[in-house]
Amino acid sequence: MLADAVFEGGGVRGIGLIGAICVAEEQGYTWHRLAGSSTGSIIATLLAAGYKAKELYEIMLGKKLLELLDGSLFDFFPYLRLTMRLLVKKGFYSGENLETWISKLLSAKGIKTFADFKDEKKLSIIVSDITRGQLIVFPDDLADYGISYEKMSVAKVVRMSCSIPFFFEPVKILHKPSNTLCYMVDGGLLSNFPVWLFDSKNPRWPTFGFRTYSNKVVKREIRGPFSLFTSIFCTMMDAHDNRYINKLDIVRTIQVPSFGVGVTDFHITLDQKEELYKHGRKAAELFFEEFTFARYLSIRENQTKILEKV
């Protein structure tokens, strides 16, 4: 059975999404088109490259996530040095380790640039261009920057989509038509859950959304400027996860609880990884007990009629 899939960003909590994807694949679904924002772009890209969900689980289980961070926050204390890095580099970490890791995984499947995908429409990666103030979908929008499919590294674009503001440095690329140097950051800044991306007038198969959400309230004590910045940063990263989802999207979205794991908790333990994975599996199993494509189409048709009357 064919299906499209859209994966929300969620930092390290993306491991829970992999559990849900495993269940979907066990149900017999194969992926026609894939899209993702932030961490979701990693999952979408690796699936598009040919990895199966179970392989992704083994990869994530065996990967020490702290290795994706070049250096440590402790390297930049006292606060003055941390502030200087933010001012000069615009992020705590470069993101180079993340790009290198993704590049190696893609190389194992013969993928380097977007031209290496047999189907150019297979993968869509959401990026935020904060210089031009636009939501970007790569590779579709490569031509707008004067870049060819053969020239753009897929791993580089994934790094762009994962560049959480302030946490990772923005990735800079030249917008050749205007000769503007553009700063590219986390796709979730503008659209963390673009489940609408593959919608068409008469869909022949479902589009599934995969997302995590925070099911615990975390209280943060603000004592000074640094703790204030930290609270603003964490709120910015977590707030979108609890937003309202309309009825049409709920019926096609698998929602995985994070149980207190934060977006940037790169220090999570092996046990926490396994728990996230299990939560993802359970959420998907419950979802597929009720989901039917016919029910989705019926709700879609009713909403369309309501909108036509407005």
Side-chain angles (χ1 to χ4, degrees):
M1 297 179 288
L2 287 177
D4 296 330
V6 177
F7 304 101
E8 184 189 51
V12 300
R13 300 186 303 205
I15 299 169
L17 301 185
I18 294 173
I21 302 163
C22 280
V23 173
E25 291 184 353
E26 290 165 7
Q27 290 281 327
Y29 287 101
T30 57
W31 310 116
H32 178 62
R33 291 174 299 181
L34 297 143
S37 183
S38 195
T39 302
S41 73
I42 297 176
I43 296 172
T45 297
L46 295 181
L47 290 174
Y51 285 95
K52 297 298 182 183
K54 288 184 179 179
E55 291 179 276
L56 298 188
Y57 173 58
E58 294 298 328
I59 289 170
M60 294 303 296
L61 207 64
K63 181 64 177 177
K64 294 180 180 179
L65 299 181
L66 283 173
E67 294 176 352
L68 300 179
L69 307 180
D70 44 326
S72 166
L73 282 179
F74 293 105
D75 295 340
F76 307 115
F77 283 102
Y79 296 147
L80 178 60
R81 294 178 65 190
L82 175 59
T83 302
M84 288 303 297
R85 177 161 179 86
L86 281 174
L87 289 174
V88 176
K89 298 293 185 179
K90 302 175 179 64
F92 297 142
Y93 303 103
S94 72
E96 291 179 2
N97 287 5
L98 173 64
E99 182 180 343
T100 299
W101 178 57
I102 296 298
S103 180
K104 288 179 180 179
L105 291 173
L106 291 177
S107 294
K109 297 291 186 179
I111 303 293
K112 184 176 181 181
T113 70
F114 284 98
D116 294 323
F117 287 109
K118 295 179 181 179
D119 181 359
E120 292 182 352
K121 298 296 183 180
K122 181 77 172 180
L123 175 66
S124 296
I125 298 175
I126 311 300
V127 177
S128 299
D129 181 343
I130 58 173
T131 300
R132 300 173 67 229
Q134 293 186 358
L135 173 71
I136 306 300
V137 180
F138 285 139
D140 293 3
D141 293 332
L142 282 175
D144 292 344
Y145 288 80
I147 304 173
S148 68
Y149 279 64
E150 294 80 7
K151 296 293 184 179
M152 179 53 79
S153 160
V154 179
K156 176 74 71 177
V157 174
V158 171
R159 174 181 168 185
M160 294 178 194
S161 188
C162 292
S163 293
I164 300 171
F166 304 120
F167 196 81
F168 288 115
E169 296 174 23
V171 178
K172 293 174 282 188
I173 64 170
L174 182 66
H175 182 258
K176 295 180 181 178
S178 63
N179 196 35
T180 302
L181 187 63
C182 297
Y183 284 73
M184 317 299 281
V185 301
D186 194 326
L189 192 66
L190 295 180
S191 182
N192 201 43
F193 189 48
V195 71
W196 44 265
L197 196 62
F198 299 133
D199 283 351
S200 60
K201 188 174 182 180
N202 297 301
R204 292 177 292 168
W205 50 74
T207 294
F208 293 125
F210 294 81
R211 69 183 297 266
T212 61
Y213 68 94
S214 302
N215 58 338
K216 287 186 178 181
V217 176
V218 178
K219 295 182 180 180
R220 302 180 179 94
E221 185 176 353
I222 299 174
R223 298 178 178 176
F226 186 76
S227 60
L228 175 62
F229 171 82
T230 302
S231 295
I232 292 172
F233 171 77
C234 292
T235 300
M236 177 182 69
M237 288 295 98
D238 289 335
H240 54 67
D241 292 330
N242 294 319
R243 72 191 184 287
Y244 170 77
I245 298 182
N246 65 45
K247 186 176 181 181
L248 181 62
D249 288 343
I250 285 177
V251 79
R252 61 176 172 175
T253 298
I254 302 170
Q255 303 193 68
V256 181
S258 63
F259 287 96
V261 176
V263 172
T264 57
D265 286 348
F266 285 84
H267 59 277
I268 62 170
T269 65
L270 180 62
D271 287 342
Q272 286 176 302
K273 289 181 181 181
E274 291 177 335
E275 280 300 308
L276 283 171
Y277 173 80
K278 290 176 182 177
H279 293 316
R281 286 195 61 92
K282 183 177 180 180
E285 288 166 357
L286 293 172
F287 172 85
F288 284 111
E289 285 179 4
E290 296 185 1
F291 176 82
T292 67
F293 189 41
R295 177 169 173 257
Y296 165 74
L297 291 177
S298 176
I299 293 173
R300 174 192 172 98
E301 183 180 359
N302 290 336
Q303 287 199 350
T304 300
K305 290 179 179 178
I306 292 172
L307 290 174
E308 288 174 349
K309 293 179 180 179
V310 175

